[in-house]
Amino acid sequence: MGESDRDERNPRRVVVTGASSGIGRASAVEFARRGWQVVGVARRTDRLEALADETGASVFTADLTDQADVDALRDHLEASGPVHALVNNAGGAHGLDSVEAGSIDDWRWMYEINVLGVKRMVSALLPLLRRAAGASGHADILTVTSTAGHAAYAGGGGYNAAKFAAHALTDVLRLELAGEPIRVIEVAPGMVATDEFSLVRFGGDRAKADGVYEGVENPLTAHDVAVTIVDALEREPHVNQDLIVLRPLAQTGAGVHKGRLTPRL
């Protein structure tokens, strides 16, 4: 954030979805550490209360696949202060089956949270972001997608489809907001070792979840991605990073090297 944007008496306010765990929680913590007003949003109230106790963040329990919850969140935000930035982080994957064998219910859930959840949040909060941009000079919408939204891989059909759609949604939104002082940013992480992503993907099978990262030297952490997110929003307002792709060094494209990283001498 440029020095002209820093005002400790009136800090910028950011809404972070999926704030109960992983990248969302790490982002909320990093925003709070840097002096932002944070509103953490997620389904699990107990996790949000722990985040609030740790960081002083405000929290709101909402399921982004439920329009009534999103409407209630919008009304709460409108009544409680300006919204300068939205971080669409809520998302996830279910299953690693082929297109042929994949569960329709899994595919539907992935589309609901990764795509329609983002659409709901943009539709609900864009008027508030415009109002804040008019008062402070600019606002931000940042969506966390995935490298799975840029390169397909076997078994990724439903997740690839959802994240490709989220990527397209973000590109279209940027075109539609041309001429307004609202940045639209996409952060697409590769392999990130978090407590829950792979565990959810494999239906709670801890052995399968741990196997994803086994032998990979230094996969990204949630904190790595969180720092990238906050840095992007703290750039000078005229600097828009349309797309930020970040991977661990052990990952190239959809491939991951397992074992030590050593120079070829």
Side-chain angles (χ1 to χ4, degrees):
M1 187 183 297
E3 288 302 317
S4 62
D5 293 317
R6 292 189 181 277
D7 184 346
E8 299 302 326
R9 297 165 301 174
N10 187 28
R12 295 177 71 80
R13 191 179 188 215
V14 59
V15 177
V16 181
T17 69
S20 61
S21 64
I23 293 170
R25 191 183 199 286
S27 297
V29 169
E30 184 66 12
F31 275 117
R33 187 185 72 80
R34 299 199 200 182
W36 288 66
Q37 288 186 3
V38 179
V39 182
V41 179
R43 293 178 294 107
R44 293 176 290 186
T45 303
D46 58 334
R47 296 286 191 95
L48 290 177
E49 289 174 346
L51 173 68
D53 290 343
E54 177 183 340
T55 66
S58 299
V59 295
F60 192 93
T61 303
D63 180 348
L64 303 189
T65 68
D66 185 328
Q67 188 61 47
D69 278 12
V70 175
D71 291 344
L73 171 62
R74 175 203 60 211
D75 293 346
H76 166 76
L77 292 169
E78 188 167 23
S80 56
V83 177
H84 301 96
L86 166 62
V87 174
N88 289 308
N89 167 74
H94 274 181
L96 199 63
D97 297 321
S98 67
V99 172
E100 178 185 14
S103 161
I104 287 293
D105 288 339
D106 284 349
W107 282 52
R108 182 180 292 112
W109 179 85
M110 285 186 279
Y111 197 83
E112 279 281 352
I113 189 60
N114 291 293
V115 185
L116 298 185
V118 173
K119 185 265 187 287
R120 285 189 175 98
M121 288 298 293
V122 170
S123 294
L125 298 195
L126 192 48
L128 307 186
L129 290 162
R130 284 189 168 115
R131 196 176 306 160
S136 68
H138 77 285
D140 297 288
I141 299 171
L142 186 150
T143 298
V144 180
T145 61
S146 169
T147 54
H150 296 266
Y153 57 90
Y159 189 58
N160 285 142
K163 287 302 189 182
F164 266 85
H167 165 62
L169 181 161
T170 304
D171 275 356
V172 172
L173 180 63
R174 190 179 301 111
L175 294 172
E176 292 174 347
L177 296 184
E180 299 189 56
I182 301 174
R183 296 185 296 192
V184 177
I185 301 166
E186 177 184 355
V187 173
M191 175 178 277
V192 185
T194 63
D195 291 338
E196 293 192 347
F197 179 85
S198 290
L199 196 62
V200 170
R201 180 167 217 167
F202 293 112
D205 188 321
R206 172 59 69 180
K208 283 187 177 179
D210 291 346
V212 172
Y213 311 106
E214 186 176 353
V216 179
E217 186 174 325
N218 294 326
L220 295 177
T221 67
H223 177 71
D224 293 329
V225 184
V227 169
T228 299
I229 289 168
V230 181
D231 284 348
L233 296 195
E234 291 196 339
R235 292 296 305 268
E236 293 78 1
H238 71 284
V239 178
N240 192 70
Q241 294 173 284
D242 287 5
L243 171 62
I244 304 170
V245 177
L246 63 158
R247 297 184 176 97
L249 185 57
Q251 183 179 19
T252 53
V256 178
H257 175 81
K258 295 207 171 187
R260 290 283 307 277
L261 299 176
T262 57
R264 296 187 183 96
L265 299 178

